Amino acid sequence: MTSARFDMSDVRRLERHLARSIPRIRREARQVVARGAINVKRDWRANARASGRKHAGRLYPSTVGYDLAAYGPDIWAATIGPDKGGPQGPLGAILEYGSVKNPPHNDGGRALAAELPRFEAQMELLARRGLAWWN
């Protein structure tokens, strides 16, 4: 019968690194989601001001906001859109998706499409930083 010896020092180093990194990455992930939500909200409002002048006036863009929610320690979600309780907020679905008489403006869709590459790049950076332990 033979026995083998393994050097576990790198595994232990990785374990320590991950134990230190996870709380920091959780905080930073929340910040990335919040920053992305703010950017989408800002761009959605700008798009709505530009595309909805004669339909929505000046009240609808100010109803666009966001809510940040945690689903456990690792999952953050942002809900972005018009507040239906605000002035002209109920027009959100009609302006965004259109109706029989009005074409869709896609203000929120365009804002989300503009933010998606930046958001993905920031999340990738977090993952790389969290896993960069060898140096």
Side-chain angles (χ1 to χ4, degrees):
M1 178 180 265
T2 63
S3 66
R5 291 181 169 245
F6 295 100
D7 180 9
M8 296 293 289
S9 61
D10 283 341
V11 174
R12 288 188 192 98
R13 259 183 59 211
L14 175 60
E15 178 186 29
R16 286 190 305 273
H17 172 75
L18 290 175
R20 286 189 309 265
S21 296
I22 289 172
R24 186 188 77 240
I25 290 171
R26 284 178 174 161
R27 283 189 309 274
E28 290 175 359
R30 181 193 182 285
Q31 292 170 349
V32 169
V33 172
R35 172 54 55 196
I38 290 168
N39 290 343
V40 171
K41 177 190 83 166
R42 184 196 63 226
D43 291 350
W44 190 334
R45 285 180 174 187
N47 292 343
R49 281 187 200 98
S51 70
R53 288 185 192 166
K54 72 177 191 178
H55 297 293
R58 53 189 156 65
L59 300 176
Y60 168 70
S62 65
T63 66
V64 177
Y66 75 95
D67 290 321
L68 201 59
Y71 297 94
D74 298 325
I75 301 172
W76 290 96
T79 304
I80 310 160
D83 177 9
K84 295 196 185 267
Q88 295 186 330
L91 293 175
I94 294 170
L95 292 171
E96 186 68 14
Y97 304 112
S99 68
V100 175
K101 296 182 180 182
N102 296 306
H105 292 193
N106 197 26
D107 297 324
R110 289 184 287 134
L112 184 61
E115 179 60 24
L116 189 59
R118 296 184 296 241
F119 177 79
E120 288 175 341
Q122 288 299 308
M123 292 305 277
E124 181 182 351
L125 183 63
L126 284 181
R128 285 178 189 249
R129 256 194 264 148
L131 294 175
W133 64 281
W134 189 257
N135 297 333

